[in-house]
Amino acid sequence: MTALGALIRSRIAQTGPITIADYMGECLMHPTHGYYATRDPLGAAGDFITAPEISQMFGELIGLALAQCWQDQGAPERIVLAELGPGRGTLMADALRATRGVPGFHESLSVHFVETSPVLREAQADAVPDATWHDRVDTLPPGPLFLIANEFFDALPIRQFIRDGDAWRERMVGLDGDALQIGLSAPAPLTLVEHRLADTEDGDLVELCPTLPGMISTLSGRIEAEGGAAIIIDYGDWQSLGDTWQALSGHKKTDPLAAPGEADLTAHVDFAEIARHVDPAKYSRLTTQGVFLERLGITPRAQALAKSLTGDALQTHIKAHRRLTHPAEMGELFKVLSIYPATAMPPPGLEP
């Protein structure tokens, strides 16, 4: 049992079973033993790799899409360019490099990161020295907001509910002797998941993120009132159905209860739940990552970069293009949704 596991076990012994969201929150963000508080999880030496670390093309194209969106909205003089959960800062660094030639864009922007991990903040400061950091979305400064959220929402704690007639039973983390185990609450009507009675059957499992509604409502209201756009990229689908909660350690799946604080915990993103809370702004049609990147011109960009490469470097580049776009890899598993003002069009690569 890890040190954090012992603390969680003691808490449950004293106060009873906890929600999966509470468990995830402790595992990921405990100030002393939490996964993100104690390590850089990215890359070959870490537990997972994200699209910006696979190829510079990913960040370049997203940066150019937001710069075009800025121009389409009249090129406002002062904007906030922000990223939620920016990893090592690689995506933002690539976006800034690619947009250096867009007249007036860099002069208009200030870069802001929403990040709570002290370890990752250090890496981000190396990649983007002029950034400003925030713990929460609602402390971002005023002004048109152009925001990126790549693999951010999948790491937010989720709750799991199993339908039982017209009621729901929640999956909880409890104890079996000294070991952590999953159990079920008593069935009860729950307002939180009442809207899912229309599209589920007995025994179906749905996942909900408790912090998502408030965050999306904040972003939506802000973008509608002040302008800008948010591009959200994550793995998941239009609507949650089934158990997608997982733990990753050393690039392999493992038991989420096995080593609290030592593995990354994530769940698929329910994009319908995001869309449900986009008001009064608009949201774009859900699009696969592969289609989105192809519309932005990733293949011509890949071909241009390939001209200066040979040998292993060329093969790595070709594999990176495939990994980002091919349906059998990240191309269909990852989806893209944008939030934009009701009077505007969505960012390039996306449809109303």
Side-chain angles (χ1 to χ4, degrees):
M1 179 68 68
T2 63
L4 180 59
L7 292 175
I8 293 173
R9 183 178 61 191
S10 176
R11 172 183 171 182
I12 293 171
Q14 292 177 30
T15 62
I18 60 175
T19 67
I20 288 175
D22 284 342
Y23 177 78
M24 284 184 70
E26 288 289 321
C27 288
L28 296 177
M29 299 313 305
H30 187 280
T32 306
H33 305 295
Y35 180 77
Y36 283 111
T38 57
R39 74 199 69 212
D40 177 349
L42 294 161
D47 296 316
F48 59 90
I49 189 167
T50 59
E53 305 292 334
I54 292 171
S55 171
Q56 69 185 67
M57 297 183 291
F58 187 81
E60 290 174 345
L61 293 172
I62 291 172
L64 289 167
L66 285 178
Q68 181 64 57
C69 195
W70 169 76
Q71 290 180 330
D72 292 343
Q73 293 187 25
E77 290 185 9
R78 291 288 179 268
I79 68 168
V80 176
L81 181 61
E83 186 175 357
L84 308 184
R88 292 175 176 161
T90 304
L91 191 159
M92 185 63 75
D94 290 338
L96 291 171
R97 186 186 62 255
T99 56
R100 202 173 290 144
V102 179
F105 186 57
H106 279 212
E107 289 75 17
S108 74
L109 64 84
S110 59
V111 177
H112 296 262
F113 289 148
V114 177
E115 177 63 71
T116 57
S117 166
V119 177
L120 289 175
R121 280 191 177 195
E122 287 188 16
Q124 293 154 15
D126 289 337
V128 188
D130 295 332
T132 301
W133 283 263
H134 304 259
D135 290 333
R136 306 189 315 274
V137 170
D138 58 10
T139 64
L140 291 170
L145 175 63
F146 293 83
L147 180 137
I148 306 160
N150 178 62
E151 288 199 60
F152 172 78
F153 287 97
D154 68 275
L156 295 182
I158 53 115
R159 295 171 68 180
Q160 292 186 326
F161 303 92
I162 296 176
R163 183 168 172 179
D164 187 340
D166 288 336
W168 299 88
R169 305 182 74 183
E170 183 165 8
R171 296 187 81 212
M172 309 285 285
V173 180
L175 292 175
D176 180 13
D178 287 336
L180 298 172
Q181 72 162 7
I182 296 292
L184 290 174
S185 70
L190 295 172
T191 304
L192 186 66
V193 279
E194 188 175 13
H195 64 288
R196 294 304 306 272
L197 290 173
D199 55 55
T200 54
E201 300 176 353
D202 255 14
D204 281 349
L205 185 152
V206 299
E207 297 171 334
L208 285 180
C209 172
T211 58
L212 185 145
M215 194 175 297
I216 295 300
S217 294
T218 296
L219 290 175
S220 174
R222 165 76 182 271
I223 288 169
E224 178 62 25
E226 301 187 51
I231 296 178
I232 299 168
I233 306 168
D234 227 313
Y235 60 93
D237 217 325
W238 180 245
Q239 199 163 56
S240 164
L241 188 62
D243 180 8
T244 71
W245 187 40
Q246 66 175 14
L248 281 178
S249 181
H251 298 268
K252 295 180 180 178
K253 290 185 179 181
T254 185
D255 180 356
L257 303 180
E262 298 294 322
D264 183 40
L265 300 178
T266 66
H268 285 206
V269 172
D270 182 344
F271 283 93
E273 193 66 12
I274 291 178
R276 203 163 74 91
H277 297 283
V278 176
D279 182 59
K282 289 186 175 181
Y283 60 88
S284 65
R285 187 176 305 179
L286 191 65
T287 304
T288 64
Q289 176 175 293
V291 168
F292 174 64
L293 293 175
E294 289 294 355
R295 287 174 178 170
L296 294 181
I298 192 171
T299 295
R301 177 59 175 152
Q303 292 168 341
L305 289 172
K307 291 178 181 178
S308 62
L309 301 174
T310 58
D312 290 345
L314 177 59
Q315 292 307 308
T316 298
H317 175 63
I318 292 170
K319 288 178 181 177
H321 175 266
R322 176 185 169 86
R323 187 168 181 183
L324 291 175
T325 61
H326 197 278
E329 301 209 29
M330 296 174 75
E332 283 194 0
L333 175 62
F334 281 74
K335 310 295 193 303
V336 188
L337 186 100
S338 69
I339 303 171
Y340 59 98
T343 57
M345 293 295 290
L350 299 169
E351 298 174 332

